[in-house]
């Protein structure tokens, strides 16, 4: 789980933490933009939307509109909700294509029943687990959010939440309230054996329960059952990386290329040179 020593939600409420200074980082920091785009791409993949069909989506905690930009690039229409006016001002300055709404997730989603074909949320859900006011009850706020979200989604659609859980108790609190509101589904964990590349996605089904998608980078865990020696060798290889992320390695690149092929994109064929380290030129 994520360390709690530098967690933003322990610093201040979201509407105060994401002030003008913090909001500018989401339009100027290239690393932050890259991470946000990658997580948005994965969330949309987990939505399992109809191929080649524009959908109407909800982006909860949309911030400066970086995830919305990816939705627009994929040909979808979207509405973004965020509690931070500073972040929404940045989104307006960037002239994002979606509609924007100021709102607190804990107060519920103010939309008609069956409005959206799906929902994504990047790095926002864990904020509901904090009580920023004496009147705040995290279980009640989570239930209010999930129950109104369930109502606003069309039956058979999905809601995907990328989040940074503080501990297993927080995960249980979130999933319990989601199931109580009527959702099916569960947690999808990408790269479970990597301390840096590991990502949590709560995958929820509205109305029709499907099979839970498989997390990326889980092949190592699968092989452990069939071949303990091979698994041990894989663990040793990662151990020698001294904390470096498994991302950008050959396995990660091959999985990303395969993901893009499933999306119908043009991708170069795999060869023995794919993801090969090149010597520097002088």
């Amino acid at each position: 789980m994520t360390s709690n020593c530098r967690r933003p939600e322990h610093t201040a409420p979201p509407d105060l933490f994401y002030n003008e200074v913090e909001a500018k980082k989401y339009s100027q920091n290239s690393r932050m933009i890259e991470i946000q785009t990658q997580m948005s791409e994965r969330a949309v993949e987990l939505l399992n939307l109809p191929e080649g069909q524009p959908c109407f989506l909800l982006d909860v905690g949309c911030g400066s509109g970086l995830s919305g930009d990816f939705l627009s690039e994929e040909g979808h229409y979207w509405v973004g909700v965020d509690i931070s006016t500073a972040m929404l001002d940045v989104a307006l300055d960037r002239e994002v294509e979606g509609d924007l709404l100021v709102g607190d997730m804990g107060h519920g989603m103010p939309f008609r029943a069956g409005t959206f074909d799906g929902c994504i949320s990047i790095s926002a859900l864990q904020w509901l687990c904090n009580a920023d006011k004496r009147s705040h009850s995290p279980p009640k706020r989570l239930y209010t959010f999930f129950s109104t979200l369930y109502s606003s989604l069309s039956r058979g659609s999905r809601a995907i939440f990328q989040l940074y859980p503080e501990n297993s108790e927080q995960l249980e609190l979130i999933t319990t309230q989601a199931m109580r509101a009527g959702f099916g589904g569960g947690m999808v964990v990408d790269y479970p054996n990597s301390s840096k590349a590991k990502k949590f996605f709560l995958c929820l089904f509205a109305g029709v329960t499907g099979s839970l998608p498989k997390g990326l980078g889980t092949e190592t865990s699968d092989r452990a059952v069939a071949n303990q020696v091979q698994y041990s060798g894989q663990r040793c290889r990662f151990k020698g990386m001294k904390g470096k992320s498994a991302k950008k390695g050959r396995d990660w690149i091959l999985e990303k290329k395969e993901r893009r092929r499933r999306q119908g994109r043009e991708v170069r064929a795999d060869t023995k040179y794919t993801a090969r380290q090149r010597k520097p030129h002088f």
Side-chain angles (χ1 to χ4, degrees), residues 21-59:
V21 176
E22 192 69 23
K24 284 181 181 178
K25 296 178 184 178
Y26 284 81
S27 62
Q28 298 173 353
N29 189 314
S30 59
R31 177 62 180 156
M32 199 172 281
I33 293 171
E34 180 189 3
I35 293 173
Q36 194 85 358
T37 303
Q38 288 174 353
M39 293 190 295
S40 302
E41 182 180 357
R42 176 61 171 150
V44 171
E45 181 187 358
L46 291 171
L47 277 180
N48 195 31
L49 299 170
E51 195 74 32
Q53 180 180 322
C55 295
F56 190 40
L57 305 174
L58 175 63
D59 184 359

Side-chain angles (χ1 to χ4, degrees), residues 32-229:
M32 199 172 281
I33 293 171
E34 180 189 3
I35 293 173
Q36 194 85 358
T37 303
Q38 288 174 353
M39 293 190 295
S40 302
E41 182 180 357
R42 176 61 171 150
V44 171
E45 181 187 358
L46 291 171
L47 277 180
N48 195 31
L49 299 170
E51 195 74 32
Q53 180 180 322
C55 295
F56 190 40
L57 305 174
L58 175 63
D59 184 359
V60 178
C62 64
S64 61
L66 294 177
S67 48
D69 284 344
F70 181 78
L71 297 179
S72 298
E73 288 174 11
E74 294 293 301
H76 302 301
Y77 305 99
W78 58 279
V79 173
V81 179
D82 203 283
I83 195 172
S84 168
T85 54
M87 293 289 272
L88 293 175
D89 284 341
V90 172
L92 287 173
D93 291 341
R94 296 178 60 248
E95 299 181 348
V96 297
E97 295 183 20
D99 295 322
L100 303 173
L101 177 69
V102 181
D104 180 354
M105 290 188 293
H107 292 167
M109 296 291 99
F111 303 107
R112 291 181 180 178
T115 299
F116 299 102
D117 301 312
C119 167
I120 69 166
S121 177
I122 308 299
S123 310
L125 189 59
Q126 67 270 6
W127 286 90
L128 280 183
C129 298
N130 249 34
D132 297 315
K133 299 179 181 178
R134 188 172 294 179
S135 59
H136 282 182
S137 166
K140 288 182 180 179
R141 282 168 58 79
L142 280 163
Y143 178 72
T144 298
F145 168 66
F146 282 127
S147 58
T148 53
L149 174 64
Y150 185 92
S151 174
S152 69
L153 292 172
S154 60
R155 297 293 78 91
S157 60
R158 296 184 182 185
I160 307 297
F161 298 87
Q162 184 276 324
L163 68 156
Y164 294 104
E166 185 174 355
N167 48 46
S168 57
E169 289 77 14
Q170 195 175 89
L171 272 181
E172 185 177 355
L173 171 64
I174 292 170
T175 52
T176 298
Q177 297 307 317
M179 304 307 158
R180 184 176 163 226
F183 282 107
M187 195 66 63
V188 176
V189 184
D190 286 351
Y191 306 104
N193 297 319
S194 171
S195 59
K196 291 189 177 181
K198 187 176 185 179
K199 291 289 183 292
F200 290 85
F201 291 87
L202 179 62
C203 184
L204 300 178
F205 305 107
V208 180
T209 303
S211 58
L212 205 61
K214 190 175 181 182
L216 300 179
T218 56
E219 289 78 4
T220 302
S221 300
D222 293 342
R223 287 197 297 267
V225 177
N227 191 334
Q228 186 66 39
V229 177

